[in-house]
Amino acid sequence: MPGYHPQDIEKKWQAHWKDQQTFRADNASDKPKYYVLDMFPYPSGAGLHVGHPLGYIASDIVSRYKRLRGFNVLHPMGFDSFGLPAEQYAIQTGQHPALTTEQNIDTYIRQLNSLGFSYDWSREVRTSDPAYYKWTQWIFLKLFNSWYNLDTNKAEPLKTLLEKFEQNGSEGIRAAGDDEERHSFTAGQWKLFSEKQRLQAVHPYRLAYQQDTYVNWCPGLGTVLSNDEVKDGLSERGGFPVERRLMPQWNLRITAYADRLLQGLDTLDWPDAVKEMQRNWIGKSIGAEVTFQVQDHEQAQIKVYTTRVDTIYGATFLVLAPEHELVKELTTPGQQVEIQDYIDATKRRSERDRMADTKTVSGAFTGSYALNPFSNEPIQIWIADYVLAGYGTGAVMAVPSGDQRDYVFAKHFNLPITQVVDAQQIDEQADPTKDGLYLHGLIKGQNYKQATQTLIGELEQRGIGKGKTNFRIRDAIFGRQRYWGEPIPIYYKEGTAYGVAEADLPLVLPEIDEYKPTETGEPPLGRAKDWKYKGLYEYELSTMPGWAGSSWYYLRYMDPQNTGRFVGEEAEQYWQQVDLYMGGAEHATGHLLYSRFWHLFLKDLGVVSAPEPFQKLINQGMILGRSNFVYRMNINWLIGRVDGTSMAFDNNKEKVAFPTLFVSKSLFDVLSNSLEEERPSAVIKLEEKLAELEQKLSAKHPAYKVEVHTYFLGMPDSFTPLHVDVNMVENDILDIEAFKNWREEYATAEFVLEENGTYIVGVEVEKMSKSKYNVVNPDTLIERYGADALRLYEMFLGPLEQFKPWNTNGMSGVAGFLKKLWRLYHPQDGTFAVTDEAATPQELKALHKAIKKVEEDIEKFSFNTTVSALMITVNELTALDCHKRAILEPLVLLLSPYAPHLAEELWQQLGHPAGSISHAQYPEFREEYLVEDTVNYPVAINGKVRETLQFPATATAQDIEAAVRASDFLPRFAEGKEPKKFIVVPGRMVNVVV
């Protein structure tokens, strides 16, 4: 087969892998298991761009390598196919989301297969498949029917809670959650409760429960949004305003697992940055809960949580979240307008924006006062948006002497600042020191440890507080007012929530006529006709969030066809957990945290065995787009009638089709800078072009006189850089005809070119995005260079975890490397010509250097250096004119994880059964082939190298010293002096001191 034609080879082997199910994994094997997983992709309509496969290529390399090392590898793929984008498209077009989702998945599968990934497609799952989300609903029901027993530190079925109620009522029960939401009752009262009363008593204990919760409500989309879906107070999709609103929502009690989620991080091989993000998100703190009595409101008390109860004598005001339940009650008549205006403004900001904004100082005084429980001094009660209703108690005691944010707030609003410790320096900023002795009341003269113990003891003795461990993490909001998601398997009888019977799962999405909320504001499922449980009871109209199905998909891959369990017991115990998880760092506190929570819950139920879902995590970096720019000149045309009427700016423009003018990069660089008195040649060139355009337009429109003035050149707005599709650019040269055909308004565009007649574009590295036209479609590159070249190039760009700029120009170098490798097997691109001759020492050395390097680098996930090593090896073997089986057969195995199609082709040509390379054995590294026969020693005299001598590798220091003493250069450079000392570094160098 003359010449290397990757497209033919790749199609052949992709078809073979599919037909033979080459990468199908068994759920039982004598081999050690290895589970490699890519983060669940959402199949968008845009398909893949070259930035997406980076992690997929890396995980595929590991999968193929592990097979060569004798592992039974599970490497599955599926799709996170529920979500808001498909629903929004359905609202716009009327198409059912299932149709567009199916089309998008087809595109993804085609593109993934074209890259030669070794997925076990027999295990494909889709979250929108009822056979899959049946088990998502099953897990929800298990959460709904469980509580968290703090005595056993695990989730238990509600049955164990009900037994406690039967025996002792609510007394002595220690359960995760807020005790204040629960009612106290005796065993006797419990026995007299009606069914509805019992369910109401149980509901606050459930791990899946309903509660009024502040959410990001987007009226334009008619749904609740997660913090990740809100940017600068607007929905990321559509740009609609988002406000904070109190709504009944389903929640999952992830807070019950906060401590275990923290502890488990210590057992994981994850990037430190990701673990630290989770630690911060969980936010464990040890402190105290304190009750402040509101002055002149006997029944009104404000609870705060503080980690610095020792500073309570310095608490000079309280700050409530604008959403706090007491704000309305505490606002005096004179403050109502100001408070309401502030609350309205806060509703337009997301929690994330409020937390991130540390510079803006804002707030409003309620008009009411609280009493400091220790000093008994009245202190003002304010609201401010930096306090969030969902964090802690929604109120903070402000100690401006010890907290910088409180300090700035107090200075801004002229509030008192009280020194707490004698060591504090608070003239210019807050001082949070714990050093020194305290100045006030009960703790006067005490140190930090003594003061903390004294105050907590007093709080508990007086019944106005207690020591408490708190967590920043909040329970996870689980409902979305959308259509395209898993229906929550809940129905309502007389207003009380009941779980659908497990035997009735899956609860399948009903057909509806439109995919937007009803006219009365209900979620889209409110449009479903006659959709009731057993024909009698109303279903829950919210659906699950996007993260529901992706929180456990790794388990379903283990046993996807099992109809009796979400994962079979034997399959789960064999695979246990993901050994290598590859995905983006943006999921650190969302998907990864929720998956760990669900896994710990399932472990409590006894249905999974591993302590954590993902043992090793790698975050691949982002491939940045290489954006290209053209430079539009903002021309001020002058137009007037030929009959002598006065010229006027932009008059009768509709009569003349003015062309858009673009200047090339070097001209832009000159013209966009301020001009000297002497006009550079670039300006002259531009003026010539404009004069040419004037003549063209005047000839085309003889009734008008057309002129352009160039006095504005050098002004900041003379030119506008515009993104141009990078696929129209090669080696920074614009394809002008393609550009003119790109958009109608550019059809008549004119260009001021470089001296060589080309248009050079500008370049900038930024995020790859359709809006920047810097997206490179892998289909185009595969068609031109082949999938193997694309795989190698993406790995060659740099370390996997780093951000890397994309430059298509570099593809040609990698493609050239593959052609050079091909010629080792097919000299001069001719017929296959591998010989059975014995390998030379130099050839064996080149091979075994590569075996060692590739193995070491893959094991430490350093893929870019492996590609470099393979390139060096091929260059060395080409220089040695090597065409020997003993060298080239192991070389194919080294190559196969990176360029699997070419490796399969060469493996077959070497005489092996078709497709058998995946079951071959990784070459054995042999150290003896790297041992050098001779060593070159630089010889220095007084530290300056004067000569290089070659010695046998076995030469001793005495042998080397004797040879140097006998040399003719030593007397010459030593100037007749006797050597004082010989320093021989074995294998490295010699230094003679004279």
Side-chain angles (χ1 to χ4, degrees):
M1 177 172 150
Y4 169 51
H5 303 288
Q7 294 78 8
D8 297 335
I9 291 173
E10 289 167 3
K11 289 189 174 84
K12 167 186 170 181
W13 289 108
Q14 288 162 16
H16 178 91
W17 296 331
K18 181 179 179 181
D19 292 342
Q20 300 299 314
Q21 296 189 52
T22 302
F23 309 114
R24 186 164 187 158
D26 295 323
N27 279 355
S29 173
D30 294 333
K31 299 177 180 179
K33 70 93 182 179
Y34 197 81
Y35 185 176
V36 184
L37 184 62
D38 300 301
M39 282 193 182
F40 225 12
Y42 174 79
S44 71
L48 297 174
H49 61 62
V50 294
H52 292 130
L54 180 68
Y56 301 159
I57 296 169
S59 65
D60 194 61
I61 288 169
V62 174
S63 298
R64 290 176 176 275
Y65 168 76
K66 288 292 184 180
R67 291 190 189 97
L68 293 176
R69 301 298 307 198
F71 285 83
N72 179 29
V73 176
L74 173 57
H75 189 207
M77 176 52 71
F79 300 96
D80 191 9
S81 48
F82 274 132
L84 186 58
E87 181 161 323
Q88 284 304 112
Y89 190 74
I91 291 171
Q92 296 163 10
T93 65
Q95 279 189 292
H96 196 290
L99 297 177
T100 54
T101 299
E102 181 74 24
Q103 293 166 2
N104 295 344
I105 287 175
D106 289 344
T107 299
Y108 264 60
I109 290 176
R110 177 188 60 76
Q111 290 187 303
L112 291 169
N113 282 331
S114 72
L115 282 157
F117 296 135
S118 59
Y119 293 129
D120 180 354
W121 284 108
S122 71
R123 296 173 183 260
E124 180 196 348
V125 299
R126 304 179 184 188
T127 55
S128 58
D129 181 353
Y132 179 86
Y133 69 70
K134 166 186 177 177
W135 298 108
T136 311
Q137 293 172 336
W138 179 85
I139 295 172
F140 174 85
L141 287 176
K142 292 298 183 186
L143 287 158
F144 180 69
N145 290 314
S146 297
W147 69 295
Y148 199 92
N149 188 342
L150 292 175
D151 289 329
T152 60
N153 198 29
K154 61 183 290 191
E156 296 179 3
L158 285 178
K159 178 185 175 185
T160 63
L161 178 66
L162 300 181
E163 288 171 352
K164 292 178 181 292
F165 288 166
E166 288 280 352
Q167 294 169 6
N168 301 305
S170 60
E171 185 179 353
I173 293 177
R174 297 181 63 247
D178 191 346
D179 289 334
E180 294 184 4
E181 297 174 8
R182 297 161 182 161
H183 305 294
S184 296
F185 51 85
T186 65
Q189 290 173 319
W190 171 258
K191 290 170 184 174
L192 294 174
F193 281 172
S194 65
E195 179 187 27
K196 184 171 183 176
Q197 287 173 317
R198 288 189 173 194
L199 289 171
Q200 288 173 340
V202 168
H203 192 78
Y205 291 85
R206 297 181 187 272
L207 290 183
Y209 64 95
Q210 203 172 30
Q211 185 183 60
D212 285 347
T213 306
Y214 278 99
V215 296
N216 299 315
W217 173 250
C218 179
L221 295 175
T223 187
V224 168
L225 300 177
S226 68
N227 285 331
D228 290 337
E229 295 169 321
V230 181
K231 304 292 181 187
D232 301 322
L234 301 174
S235 63
E236 188 175 39
R237 181 161 292 272
F240 298 106
V242 177
E243 63 183 55
R244 298 290 292 166
R245 181 181 290 186
L246 191 65
M247 296 178 66
Q249 287 292 320
W250 282 96
N251 295 263
L252 300 188
R253 207 179 296 279
I254 189 174
T255 50
Y257 287 86
D259 230 354
R260 288 168 64 184
L261 289 168
L262 267 180
Q263 293 166 12
L265 290 171
D266 295 333
T267 69
L268 300 176
D269 184 5
W270 287 16
D272 289 338
V274 173
K275 292 200 282 190
E276 193 59 26
M277 287 174 73
Q278 289 211 358
R279 289 189 183 101
N280 292 336
W281 192 259
I282 295 166
K284 184 176 182 178
S285 60
I286 299 172
E289 192 173 79
V290 184
T291 301
F292 284 74
Q293 179 64 48
V294 178
Q295 192 175 44
D296 301 326
H297 288 71
E298 188 175 337
Q299 301 301 316
Q301 295 179 330
I302 297 171
K303 286 189 175 182
V304 303
Y305 175 79
T306 176
T307 59
R308 291 293 305 273
V309 69
D310 59 296
T311 65
I312 197 164
Y313 284 100
T316 57
F317 58 99
L318 292 183
V319 185
L320 308 183
E323 306 92 344
H324 195 284
E325 58 186 6
L326 288 178
V327 169
K328 186 175 181 180
E329 180 183 345
L330 299 182
T331 301
T332 60
Q335 296 298 113
Q336 283 182 356
V337 173
E338 183 182 354
I339 289 289
Q340 191 57 52
D341 287 347
Y342 193 85
I343 290 173
D344 291 341
T346 301
K347 286 180 178 179
R348 295 189 288 271
R349 303 188 74 198
S350 70
E351 281 193 357
R352 179 164 292 179
D353 291 339
R354 288 163 63 178
M355 292 166 65
D357 185 3
T358 58
K359 296 181 179 179
T360 306
V361 182
S362 68
F365 177 42
T366 64
S368 292
Y369 292 80
L371 297 174
N372 185 310
F374 285 91
S375 69
N376 211 36
E377 293 288 329
I379 59 177
Q380 293 184 6
I381 303 172
W382 286 67
I383 65 171
D385 64 3
Y386 72 84
V387 182
L388 305 175
Y391 286 98
T393 63
V396 299
M397 68 175 207
V399 183
S401 65
D403 181 273
Q404 185 61 25
R405 192 162 207 168
D406 295 344
Y407 185 92
V408 172
F409 194 95
K411 286 288 188 181
H412 186 83
F413 291 108
N414 198 28
L415 296 168
I417 300 174
T418 299
Q419 186 173 347
V420 176
V421 187
D422 60 8
Q424 278 183 311
Q425 302 292 324
I426 57 173
D427 293 339
E428 297 182 1
Q429 62 183 14
D431 182 356
T433 183
K434 298 176 182 178
D435 297 331
L437 301 178
Y438 289 77
L439 300 172
H440 306 286
L442 289 175
I443 56 174
K444 186 173 183 180
Q446 295 184 354
N447 61 27
Y448 167 73
K449 186 175 180 180
Q450 293 168 332
T452 301
Q453 291 174 344
T454 298
L455 291 168
I456 290 177
E458 183 70 12
L459 287 170
E460 293 176 348
Q461 183 179 343
R462 290 167 55 187
I464 58 171
K466 59 184 178 181
K468 188 177 181 180
T469 298
N470 210 19
F471 293 91
R472 181 175 176 268
I473 192 172
R474 294 174 299 162
D475 285 341
I477 298 172
F478 198 65
R480 298 290 186 268
Q481 288 62 51
R482 303 175 186 163
Y483 172 74
W484 192 233
E486 300 92 334
I488 296 177
I490 292 292
Y491 67 93
Y492 295 92
K493 184 166 65 172
E494 297 178 0
T496 301
Y498 289 77
V500 169
E502 291 181 13
D504 293 327
L505 298 179
L507 173 57
V508 179
L509 275 173
E511 296 291 333
I512 58 176
D513 55 357
E514 283 187 275
Y515 306 105
K516 57 187 180 182
T518 68
E519 287 70 19
T520 56
E522 292 178 315
L525 286 179
R527 298 179 178 277
K529 295 179 180 178
D530 303 320
W531 192 53
K532 295 183 179 181
Y533 186 53
K534 299 189 181 299
L536 297 173
Y537 307 112
E538 299 291 341
Y539 281 118
E540 168 63 49
L541 299 182
S542 296
T543 53
M544 298 186 194
W547 55 264
S550 63
S551 289
W552 71 280
Y553 74 110
Y554 62 96
L555 292 166
R556 191 61 178 170
Y557 280 143
M558 297 177 184
D559 198 13
Q561 275 74 50
N562 195 317
T563 58
R565 280 176 60 106
F566 74 108
V567 57
E569 188 173 357
E570 291 182 4
E572 189 279 330
Q573 289 181 355
Y574 177 73
W575 294 109
Q576 293 209 351
Q577 65 181 168
V578 175
D579 297 289
L580 174 63
Y581 199 24
M582 193 81 68
E586 67 273 14
H587 299 289
T589 54
H591 160 66
L592 288 172
L593 202 57
Y594 294 138
S595 293
R596 295 182 62 221
F597 159 45
W598 279 38
H599 190 92
L600 289 174
F601 169 69
L602 293 170
K603 186 167 177 58
D604 285 351
L605 295 188
V607 292
V608 299
S609 54
E612 289 276 348
F614 317 117
Q615 182 53 39
K616 182 171 181 63
L617 172 72
I618 294 179
N619 296 136
Q620 80 273 13
M622 185 184 296
I623 287 185
L624 302 173
R626 192 171 187 271
S627 298
N628 291 139
F629 297 87
V630 290
Y631 301 97
R632 183 184 67 198
M633 184 175 178
N634 301 319
I635 301 175
N636 287 332
W637 293 100
L638 297 175
I639 181 170
R641 296 194 66 80
V642 173
D643 60 10
T645 57
S646 61
M647 299 288 288
F649 277 110
D650 299 324
N651 188 28
N652 292 319
K653 257 191 170 181
E654 69 278 3
K655 302 294 184 182
V656 177
F658 293 106
T660 308
L661 181 62
F662 295 94
V663 300
S664 191
K665 178 67 168 62
S666 65
L667 297 164
F668 165 76
D669 289 341
V670 174
L671 297 170
S672 61
N673 293 321
S674 298
L675 299 175
E676 304 288 341
E677 284 188 13
E678 280 189 33
R679 293 191 170 188
S681 59
V683 175
I684 297 171
K685 188 172 186 178
L686 178 62
E687 288 181 331
E688 289 173 353
K689 182 67 177 182
L690 291 170
E692 177 190 325
L693 289 180
E694 286 177 3
Q695 292 177 0
K696 277 187 181 180
L697 291 169
S698 296
K700 189 174 181 180
H701 305 281
Y704 298 95
K705 180 177 176 60
V706 179
E707 292 182 4
V708 62
H709 280 196
T710 57
Y711 65 86
F712 58 88
L713 282 179
M715 302 297 286
D717 58 352
S718 300
F719 300 91
T720 301
L722 300 173
H723 282 93
V724 62
D725 191 334
V726 295
N727 295 294
M728 301 174 187
V729 177
E730 185 167 0
N731 294 322
D732 297 338
I733 298 174
L734 178 69
D735 183 335
I736 291 176
E737 287 307 310
F739 178 76
K740 293 172 78 171
N741 293 327
W742 184 32
R743 292 185 175 179
E744 186 177 348
E745 63 265 33
Y746 297 153
T748 59
E750 295 280 349
F751 301 86
V752 184
L753 305 175
E754 304 287 336
E755 291 298 328
N756 62 2
T758 62
Y759 186 99
I760 303 298
V761 297
V763 176
E764 186 175 324
V765 175
E766 52 189 350
K767 182 179 179 181
M768 200 170 273
S769 165
K770 286 195 299 181
S771 65
K772 304 180 190 303
Y773 304 106
N774 62 357
V775 170
V776 179
N777 190 326
D779 296 350
T780 305
L781 298 179
I782 290 170
E783 184 179 344
R784 183 171 182 181
Y785 298 103
D788 285 341
L790 179 56
R791 290 169 62 109
L792 281 164
Y793 182 59
E794 293 219 8
M795 293 298 97
F796 187 58
L797 282 173
L800 181 64
E801 295 89 347
Q802 293 183 8
F803 282 32
K804 300 169 280 288
W806 179 265
N807 185 351
T808 299
N809 298 336
M811 284 286 296
S812 57
V814 174
F817 156 68
L818 291 175
K819 289 178 182 177
K820 181 179 282 191
L821 183 139
W822 174 265
R823 293 186 191 113
L824 291 175
Y825 302 80
H826 303 81
Q828 288 80 47
D829 281 337
T831 57
F832 184 76
V834 173
T835 72
D836 291 323
E837 294 178 63
T840 65
Q842 295 93 331
E843 293 166 342
L844 288 167
K845 180 181 176 183
L847 172 67
H848 283 267
K849 276 196 306 182
I851 293 172
K852 182 181 182 184
K853 179 67 172 170
V854 171
E855 178 180 352
E856 290 175 346
D857 286 354
I858 293 183
E859 291 287 357
K860 62 186 181 184
F861 309 101
S862 180
F863 304 109
N864 60 312
T865 52
T866 306
V867 178
S868 298
L870 289 170
M871 289 178 171
I872 291 168
T873 302
V874 168
N875 285 339
E876 289 177 347
L877 294 176
T878 299
L880 293 169
D881 197 23
C882 176
H883 307 290
K884 298 167 183 174
R885 177 182 298 274
I887 301 298
L888 299 187
E889 188 166 275
L891 182 63
V892 172
L893 293 170
L894 300 184
L895 177 76
S896 63
Y898 289 83
H901 307 88
L902 177 55
E904 286 276 22
E905 183 68 21
L906 295 174
W907 190 251
Q908 184 183 36
Q909 291 182 7
L910 286 162
H912 299 283
S916 64
I917 197 169
S918 294
H919 309 294
Q921 186 175 352
Y922 188 80
E924 179 186 358
F925 167 66
R926 294 176 61 178
E927 182 76 40
E928 62 263 30
Y929 291 127
L930 301 190
V931 175
E932 299 285 353
D933 293 333
T934 60
V935 179
N936 290 326
Y937 280 83
V939 181
I941 299 176
N942 287 343
K944 189 170 185 178
V945 175
R946 297 297 190 178
E947 184 63 272
T948 299
L949 297 179
Q950 189 177 81
F951 295 95
T954 56
T956 65
Q958 292 80 1
D959 296 335
I960 294 170
E961 180 179 339
V964 173
R965 283 184 180 277
S967 68
D968 60 351
F969 69 87
L970 181 58
R972 187 167 69 253
F973 290 108
E975 298 176 351
K977 298 176 182 177
E978 278 296 314
K980 295 180 180 179
K981 190 175 184 181
F982 273 82
I983 303 170
V984 178
V985 182
R988 298 286 301 278
M989 68 171 295
V990 180
N991 189 31
V992 184
V993 180
V994 298

